[in-house]
Every structure is written in C-alpha cells, then in structure tokens.
Amino acid sequence: MQTELSKRLGIEHAVFGFTPFPAVAAAISRAGGFGVLGAVRYTAPEDLERDLDRLDAHADGRPYGLDVVMPAKKVEGVTEADVEAMIPEGHRQFVRETLARYGVPELAEGEASGWRITGWMEQVARAQLDVAFGYPIRLLANALGSPPADVVARAHERGVLVAALAGSARHARKHREAGIDIVVAQGYEAGGHTGEIATMVLTPEVVEAVGPLPVLAAGGIGSGQQVAAALTLGAQGVWLGSLWLTTTEADLHSAALTRKLLAAGSGDTVRSRALTGKPARQLRTEWTDAWDDPAGPGTLPMPLQGLLVAEAVSRIQRYEIDPLLGTPVGQIVGRMSSERSVQAVVDDLTRGFERAVDRINRIAGRSGQS
C-alpha cells in the first residue's frame, strides 16, 4: 500500500493512525504505518513529554506525528474561569439531575476530573508544540482547521509536514491557501467532529479541489478493500482513528466501554453536540439522548458544553455507568467485533487491500478481452 506520500515519509503502508494512546501510535509505526498521537488530553506539558518519550522509545526509529487542536485565530485574554462563568445555572442543574437519576457517585475527595476543554485552548496547544518540536516528529496535524501561520512556518522550518482536517472542498481550499501540506478529507461517517458529507463523495471532491496536494481519506474506513477504494478515489493514504480503540495496545481504562464498542453495530452511533457543543459522532447512549431531547435545555456552544460536562463525563467513566457510558467513535465500530493487536489489524488491512487490487485487476483484464 505505497503511494508518493508514503514513500516521502519512509513508511511501508499509506496508513495513518490517529490515537490518544502512545503505545498504539508506536505499534502502528512499527507495523509499517504512521502513528499519530492525539495531544488534546495533555493539559500539562510534562505529561505529553512523558508519553512522547514512550512513543519515541518504542517506535523503533520509525516516523510518527502529533495531532493538536488549535484555532487559526487567537482570542486574547480569555481564561477558563471566564468561560466557566458563561455557563447558565439551568444547564448545571440539568447535569446534576441527570447524574442523580442514574445514581452516578461523586468523584472521591481530591480526585480531579479527567479530560478538560483546556486542551482546546491555544496557549495549551502552543505549550504542547514547544515539547513536540524537541522530538523527531515528521507530521503535525490540526483537527480544528488550519493552524496559525506562525505554527505552520515553525513546523516547516523543522522539516515537519503539516496536515489539517477538512469536511468540505471549501475548507480544503482554505487549507491549501494557508500553506498546509496534507489535507485529511474527513467524511460524515468518522468518529469525533465531522461535517455532513460522506467519505465516498468528499474524497474525490477534495482531491480535485487541492491537487496536487496529497489527500488522506478518513471516515468509515476499516478494511483493506476500503483502503483500495480510497486510493482509487485519488487519496494518497487513509487516516484511521476509531479502528484502534479495541486493539490490545489501547488503554481505555474501562472493560465496560470496550464491551460496548465490541457489541456495537454501525447504526449505534450518533452525531451529537453533547460532548463539546459541536456535532461529534459517538456511541449513542442515554446521555446523548438526554442532551438531544427537545424537552431538555439543549447543548451549549463550544467551549461551554465541554466545560459543563467534563466532570460528569469523568464520573460516568470512572464508575462505568453503563447506560451513560460512551466515547467518540465512527460508524466503522460495526467492524470492531474483537480485540486484536495493532499488527493484526494492519495485516488484515494489507491482505484485504491485496484481494481488492487482485479483483480489480481481474475485472480490468476481462474487460480488456471483451
């Protein structure tokens, strides 16, 4: 599964794997793909440094990258406390009542909630970059549009390629104008924040819009046959995220959540604003249903919703409250029916790719004889 881009980066397979787990990122790179560590959960630079040490030590010298979340435009002087003060009391009460209805315990005294929206604030992302540029990363990806111009320039000075996610051809053109090197065309089927255009439609539109820039296809891809389809549509590789959540190297810290992922079908996800305030595909749960119910208060815009629910989500995860327990994941969850190693997943992708290419070659050969 080699393309011009994979050869440029020195990887065997044009498979780019996004993951919040350093062990998974390292395993993807060792298996011949390109591991990309998600940085949004690292609010302390020393935590990111610790996990980049782990990733670098176990990647066996193979290339890897980092994914950050930062806006193209800077908002000056806004603190987390300022944002917290904007949350209406009625929404806070709705959270308290929903948690009480399901008997969700409080966190233990002194136990901090986990993920916070601070990982989306520019000053945090810049601190992450200060750490990351001390490592031999080959790619910097931004999940929130094009990063600021000075960040793009800083990456290029170090020989680091810059990628940005796009949900439409219009967004992709803006990335090209901003000097981005790689556009990730993320379809409606993908986990996390997505647009409204399906991967099969979006990929060729983006390829045409930004050529000759390389494009990676993302969303609903979990087999070698789908990788072959993406390359046929003009992509130079695939960007996979959800598929790694049920690998043996992943560390979800929740057996209950792993069971839910393994049991879920492709129809068991929903695009909901419940987690961050922007539409994000995730497992459908009674928590997402509560927020999407017209009888409720409705979600708040980003970043208010993320701050509002951060502690609640931590409590749900900490105590594994099954009806409420979920995670961002794409429609490909229907294929994630067993726990496998990263190497086994990559092997399955390559075998499926070979079968698909052989089939097309046979079809083309018969067509040529008719």
Side-chain angles (χ1 to χ4, degrees):
M1 295 191 288
Q2 284 227 328
T3 64
E4 182 180 341
L5 179 61
S6 67
K7 293 175 183 176
R8 180 180 179 183
L9 288 168
I11 58 177
E12 185 178 354
H13 309 302
V15 173
F16 294 73
F18 165 81
T19 174
F21 307 116
V24 174
I28 293 168
S29 292
R30 290 198 308 271
F34 191 100
V36 182
L37 180 66
V40 70
R41 66 193 180 102
Y42 297 101
T43 56
E46 58 270 22
D47 291 338
L48 176 60
E49 184 173 8
R50 176 201 64 215
D51 279 359
L52 281 174
D53 281 341
R54 294 174 179 172
L55 170 52
D56 195 65
H58 293 93
D60 290 353
R62 306 290 183 90
Y64 60 86
L66 189 75
D67 180 280
V68 297
V69 179
M70 61 190 310
K73 296 181 179 179
K74 186 175 183 178
V75 180
E76 299 282 357
V78 178
T79 66
E80 184 176 344
D82 295 330
V83 179
E84 285 267 17
M86 301 177 190
I87 299 174
E89 177 56 31
H91 282 72
R92 295 186 187 277
Q93 182 61 26
F94 179 76
V95 171
R96 289 193 290 267
E97 290 174 352
T98 303
L99 295 179
R101 187 160 64 248
Y102 289 91
V104 183
E106 298 279 352
L107 293 175
E109 186 175 351
E111 183 178 355
S113 63
W115 175 81
R116 297 287 284 174
I117 201 69
T118 47
W120 294 71
M121 301 181 77
E122 182 180 355
Q123 60 266 35
V124 175
R126 286 186 177 274
Q128 293 168 348
L129 294 178
D130 290 339
V131 172
F133 284 137
Y135 291 82
I137 64 170
R138 295 290 306 280
L139 176 71
L140 174 66
N142 189 38
L144 202 62
S146 303
D150 68 294
V151 171
V152 176
R154 189 178 175 191
H156 286 166
E157 287 169 2
R158 290 161 172 77
V160 176
L161 298 180
V162 181
L165 276 65
S168 71
R170 178 173 60 86
H171 292 155
R173 291 188 191 97
K174 289 183 177 180
H175 295 336
R176 181 185 59 190
E177 293 165 4
I180 300 303
D181 304 293
I182 302 168
V183 176
V184 180
Q186 185 181 37
Y188 171 86
E189 305 95 325
H193 295 117
T194 68
E196 299 184 355
I197 304 174
T199 304
M200 181 66 77
V201 175
L202 179 65
T203 301
E205 286 186 354
V206 172
V207 168
E208 182 177 349
V210 303
L213 284 186
V215 172
L216 301 178
I221 300 172
S223 72
Q225 291 87 340
Q226 290 168 312
V227 175
L231 300 190
T232 302
L233 293 172
Q236 288 203 30
V238 292
W239 179 273
L240 311 181
S242 299
L243 195 62
W244 316 107
L245 289 174
T246 53
T247 57
T248 53
E249 292 89 346
D251 190 10
L252 286 177
H253 298 293
S254 173
L257 181 54
T258 298
R259 286 196 301 272
K260 291 189 77 170
L261 287 169
L262 294 174
S266 57
D268 292 328
T269 69
V270 62
R271 286 174 77 241
S272 171
R273 298 178 185 267
L275 186 61
T276 67
K278 290 185 69 174
R281 186 171 297 284
Q282 54 202 282
L283 279 181
R284 182 177 181 178
T285 66
E286 293 184 29
W287 176 256
T288 62
D289 287 349
W291 282 105
D292 295 338
D293 188 339
T299 56
L300 296 169
M302 182 187 280
L304 301 182
Q305 182 72 15
L307 280 173
L308 170 64
V309 305
E311 181 179 331
V313 171
S314 293
R315 289 166 59 185
I316 291 166
Q317 294 175 343
R318 170 70 176 81
Y319 297 106
E320 299 188 326
I321 308 302
D322 196 82
L324 307 180
L325 186 63
T327 186
V329 69
Q331 290 181 329
I332 200 62
V333 70
R335 291 187 62 92
M336 296 156 49
S337 56
S338 64
E339 290 187 79
R340 299 179 294 166
S341 69
V342 166
Q343 184 66 62
V345 171
V346 173
D347 288 345
D348 184 60
L349 291 173
T350 58
R351 285 193 296 267
F353 178 83
E354 290 169 357
R355 288 194 297 270
V357 171
D358 287 345
R359 181 172 184 272
I360 293 300
N361 284 338
R362 289 196 303 274
I363 292 172
R366 286 196 296 270
S367 298
Q369 296 168 4
S370 61

